[in-house]
Amino acid sequence: MKERFELTKREITIIRQYGLDPEKLQNCSACSYSFGERIVSEDLPSEQLFIVTGGRAKVGVNTPDGKSLILCFYISDGLMGEVELFTDAATGSTSVTALDHFECISIPIADNRNYLNNNLKFTHIAASELAKKLMQSTNNIVENTLYRAEVRLCRYIRSASDGRYFRDIMTDVAYSIGVSYRHLYRMMGALCRSGILEKTDSGYRICDMEKLTDLCRQK
């Protein structure tokens, strides 16, 4: 993780879009993470509110048997840590991991709690984002119930891909779409044989995004 304490004009503008006055915030910084770096860890101290400014990160929860269930993906914007802010939680409720070069603005909750909680415009925006996340989680449950495993995999790949490339921890993928590790690799092999994917040293290249998207629409 890299951190700097001098915010750019773009970052200050983004802060204002959330109804916040940068001059009233204390000890903010801009953070950047590389692929695979953990941004927030479930059940470990979580003391920051984040405003996402670029990149992708996957959000998941740990299961009792040590596996990770992916809940959703952040793409280029949004808040992280608002649940911990509004519930006064001392630890993270989820784990957040960078899927590519990920950038965000970090706002220390302890230093800014009163200002954040008493800012009506900010709390309205944060509540709206929480509602959208709830709807997304509901949609994910519906997908895992109604869609075939092959379709769930394709939708996962499309959501988690970085442009034309997909790379992730395969055990997390298998658990998130509800299949065995062995069955996941059989499906990945079938996508490669059909020309939709190509295995590379760093992951999988999406060769035919149109076909992948068509499969995502099936049930």
Side-chain angles (χ1 to χ4, degrees):
M1 187 267 284
K2 296 181 179 179
E3 185 176 22
R4 56 178 167 78
F5 289 90
E6 184 175 347
L7 301 181
T8 65
K9 290 182 179 179
R10 173 177 174 268
E11 289 162 346
I12 290 173
T13 298
I14 291 174
I15 289 175
R16 293 187 185 279
Q17 290 172 352
Y18 283 86
L20 300 172
D21 184 348
E23 295 182 359
K24 295 182 179 180
L25 293 171
Q26 301 180 43
N27 302 319
C28 295
S29 62
C31 301
S32 61
Y33 300 81
S34 301
F35 173 79
E37 279 195 276
R38 185 62 60 88
I39 303 162
V40 178
S41 295
E42 183 181 359
D43 295 330
L44 291 181
S46 178
E47 304 169 341
Q48 310 293 322
L49 173 73
F50 298 99
I51 301 177
V52 181
T53 57
R56 285 175 175 266
K58 64 179 181 180
V59 183
V61 293
N62 297 324
T63 63
D65 56 359
K67 296 178 181 178
S68 179
L69 176 63
I70 306 305
L71 300 177
C72 63
F73 299 91
Y74 288 92
I75 305 174
S76 74
D77 59 13
L79 292 172
M80 299 190 305
E82 68 272 37
V83 171
E84 290 77 11
L85 168 66
F86 293 135
T87 60
D88 292 328
T91 59
S93 58
T94 59
S95 293
V96 183
T97 307
L99 283 173
D100 54 25
H101 183 72
F102 185 80
E103 298 178 341
C104 57
I105 299 165
S106 175
I107 302 174
I109 292 177
D111 296 337
N112 298 282
R113 187 182 297 278
N114 288 336
Y115 175 58
L116 294 170
N117 284 337
N118 291 291
N119 185 311
L120 184 59
K121 185 175 181 180
F122 166 73
T123 55
H124 176 76
I125 293 172
S128 177
E129 291 209 4
L130 282 171
K132 291 177 182 177
K133 290 173 185 176
L134 176 60
M135 292 175 62
Q136 184 178 17
S137 295
T138 302
N139 290 336
N140 288 344
I141 293 173
V142 171
E143 287 181 11
N144 283 336
T145 303
L146 299 180
Y147 290 89
R148 293 183 292 108
E150 291 81 359
V151 178
R152 297 199 301 270
L153 174 60
C154 291
R155 294 170 72 91
Y156 188 106
I157 292 172
R158 189 178 64 173
S159 296
S161 63
D162 174 19
R164 288 280 177 174
Y165 284 88
F166 170 72
R167 53 178 179 168
D168 205 336
I169 300 172
M170 290 295 112
T171 52
D172 290 356
V173 178
Y175 196 78
S176 296
I177 65 173
V179 300
S180 69
Y181 188 76
R182 181 176 298 179
H183 186 45
L184 170 64
Y185 268 99
R186 284 199 294 265
M187 291 191 294
M188 296 295 287
L191 291 174
C192 289
R193 289 190 296 274
S194 66
I196 295 175
L197 298 180
E198 179 187 21
K199 195 171 187 324
T200 69
D201 292 337
S202 59
Y204 290 86
R205 185 172 69 89
I206 301 175
C207 304
D208 196 327
M209 182 64 78
E210 184 176 349
K211 284 186 178 180
L212 180 67
T213 301
D214 288 340
L215 287 173
C216 291
R217 298 193 183 105
Q218 298 180 13
K219 289 187 178 181

